Amino acid sequence: MTSLEYQKAVDWLFVQIPNYQRDGSSAYKPGLDNIKKLCTFFGNPQDKIRTIHIGGTNGKGSTSNMLASVLQESGYKIGLYNSPHLIDFTERIKIDGQNCNKEFVYNFIQKLKQLPEDILPSFFEFTTIMAFEYFYQQKVDLAIIEVGLGGRLDSTNIIKPLISAITNVQLDHQNILGDTIERIAREKAGIIKENTTIISGDENPSVKEIIINKAKETHSPFIDATKIETILESDLKGNYQKKNIRVVLALVDELREQGINISDENVKSGLLNVHHNTNFIGRWFEFSKEPLTICDTGHNQAGLEEVFNQLNTYLQQKHIVLGFVNDKKIDEVIPMLPSEAEFYFVKPSINRGRHPDDYEYLLKKSELNYKIFDSVQKGYLSAKQNCKKGEMIFIGGSNFVVGDFLEKNLLMT
């Protein structure tokens, strides 16, 4: 298999199969019927591996990677399934920080042509079964599975995990999951399985109540991670990581109860070496020191509030490169933006990417100093040109903005 053959196979996959991240809600296929048929077709690999299920609106990627790092430090072979990818498709499926083997991906895509006609998978369903099969073939000790969207009807919800966690519940994907925190919480709580411990990292009393009630209904122990006090830190920067660390510590305590050997030193070292152990990037990621350039994939209202609160702790003049997808409510984002910064609004390259021309009428009403660009790279290069010594650049607003930026620039550093 050549690199060209691999790329053609992945391109074909993107074209043939509905992809929510690229195409939006029209490509979202809720329900477990399809994934059950897929798993049956491939021999139910998800039942042959030990799994940990991580859901939530924000923080599930960071939490999954921190836990993976801790378990790797403990000597276990760890599978990790995250989404979306930032640069290459294989980032979604990792073992001990190494991206999925491209030859495996290529060969697995060929099997798509052998599927019965009654199985019409979405992109996420297909990548989910691909992850299960890869982890089974590679004989991982544990596989950490991140929920894609929601929980109850997410294709990852076919697993029977050792333990589950919900990092938090915030407004996001309201057109699919519901227009209130409580409705979304019920969807997220759908990952809670019978007699399976659930850990919650959410401080909202109404969310906590919904999770507790679902835990009682399923006879599942409930652990409130928000009550954990710790001074441990991670190399994943961002003040919001403190909340995720508490969830990780609760997961570690429960895994120890289930016979997984994890020392205190493993925990400390694992939290401090997430980048090295799992190759995780995109969360308050320091791309360069001169000029100081940081990117973050926070994209919903709660995530962006955390990002801008953190950004406001930096005193230097800021050049902020921002882009959004079509379902983003820009009018809710603008009030969060630091008015003294210089802004470079850009269009992410995916189909769902929203061109700033579409919402410039909102920008004109604001007092922001801004320019508009039709690509992330053009916006970044303009920000870099205008950035004086001692100033900083921030890139964010969407996973796809950060992905576009890193794809163009990461290998050049």
Side-chain angles (χ1 to χ4, degrees), residues 96-381:
D96 289 348
Q98 299 303 307
N99 290 5
C100 182
N101 180 280
K102 289 187 176 182
E103 189 164 350
F104 171 84
V105 173
Y106 173 82
N107 291 332
F108 203 84
I109 288 173
Q110 308 315 309
K111 295 179 183 179
L112 179 61
K113 300 169 185 176
Q114 303 169 21
L115 288 176
E117 291 183 0
D118 66 326
I119 306 179
L120 296 171
S122 69
F123 177 87
F124 190 73
E125 286 166 340
F126 195 68
T127 57
T128 299
I129 183 61
M130 185 187 294
F132 294 155
E133 179 66 16
Y134 189 62
F135 296 152
Y136 168 63
Q137 286 188 16
Q138 296 297 316
K139 297 180 172 58
V140 299
D141 294 314
L142 291 160
I144 301 168
I145 308 298
E146 179 191 330
V147 173
L149 196 159
R152 181 175 65 91
L153 299 177
D154 188 76
S155 58
T156 65
N157 206 27
I158 195 172
I159 62 175
K160 299 167 185 174
L162 299 177
I163 184 172
S164 303
I166 298 170
T167 56
N168 56 62
V169 178
Q170 306 287 347
L171 289 173
D172 199 16
H173 305 298
Q174 292 100 306
N175 57 328
I176 295 173
L177 301 179
D179 56 3
T180 68
I181 290 285
E182 289 73 22
R183 287 178 179 173
I184 295 173
R186 281 187 278 274
E187 291 297 314
K188 303 283 186 188
I191 69 169
I192 301 173
K193 303 294 193 302
E194 197 78 21
N195 299 307
T196 303
T197 298
I198 179 68
I199 290 164
S200 170
D202 200 299
E203 297 174 346
N204 185 326
S206 61
V207 169
K208 196 177 296 188
E209 182 181 9
I210 288 168
I211 296 173
I212 289 172
N213 287 340
K214 183 65 175 180
K216 288 179 180 176
E217 180 186 321
T218 55
H219 309 101
S220 301
F222 170 85
I223 296 174
D224 186 352
T226 66
K227 294 183 178 180
I228 293 176
E229 295 184 8
T230 181
I231 59 171
L232 290 175
E233 296 182 351
S234 172
D235 64 335
L236 297 187
K237 300 307 177 186
N239 292 334
Y240 53 82
Q241 297 295 3
K242 295 174 184 176
K243 300 174 184 177
N244 297 327
I245 289 172
R246 293 189 187 103
V247 176
V248 172
L249 295 179
L251 283 161
V252 166
D253 284 344
E254 177 59 23
L255 289 170
R256 284 169 168 165
E257 290 290 323
Q258 298 192 31
I260 307 298
N261 293 317
I262 308 168
S263 71
D264 290 346
E265 187 56 40
N266 295 151
V267 174
K268 183 178 178 181
S269 182
L271 290 174
L272 290 173
N273 291 281
V274 181
H275 287 302
H276 176 265
N277 288 339
T278 72
N279 287 306
F280 185 51
I281 57 174
R283 308 307 191 274
W284 209 258
F285 177 62
E286 189 175 296
F287 173 78
S288 70
K289 291 188 179 298
E290 188 55 50
L292 177 61
T293 303
I294 291 170
C295 56
D296 191 282
T297 55
H299 57 278
N300 52 46
Q301 185 170 357
L304 286 170
E305 282 178 358
E306 294 274 13
V307 163
F308 287 114
N309 285 339
Q310 177 95 16
L311 197 56
N312 286 335
T313 65
Y314 291 75
L315 300 180
Q316 53 263 66
Q317 174 64 17
K318 302 168 186 68
H319 299 262
I320 299 178
V321 181
L322 285 181
F324 308 101
V325 292
N326 284 331
D327 57 359
K328 183 59 57 192
K329 295 180 179 178
I330 311 297
D331 58 333
E332 294 179 355
V333 176
I334 289 176
M336 303 181 202
L337 305 180
S339 58
E340 70 282 358
E342 303 217 15
F343 288 90
Y344 307 76
F345 289 96
V346 300
K347 180 191 178 300
S349 62
I350 60 161
N351 293 353
R352 289 171 60 218
R354 189 170 181 184
H355 199 290
D357 285 349
D358 294 344
Y359 54 84
E360 190 179 10
Y361 71 97
L362 292 170
L363 299 176
K364 286 180 176 176
K365 293 178 183 178
S366 72
E367 297 181 356
L368 299 177
N369 181 8
Y370 70 90
K371 296 177 183 175
I372 283 176
F373 300 87
D374 58 14
S375 76
V376 174
Q377 186 66 0
K378 288 179 181 177
Y380 165 64
L381 291 176

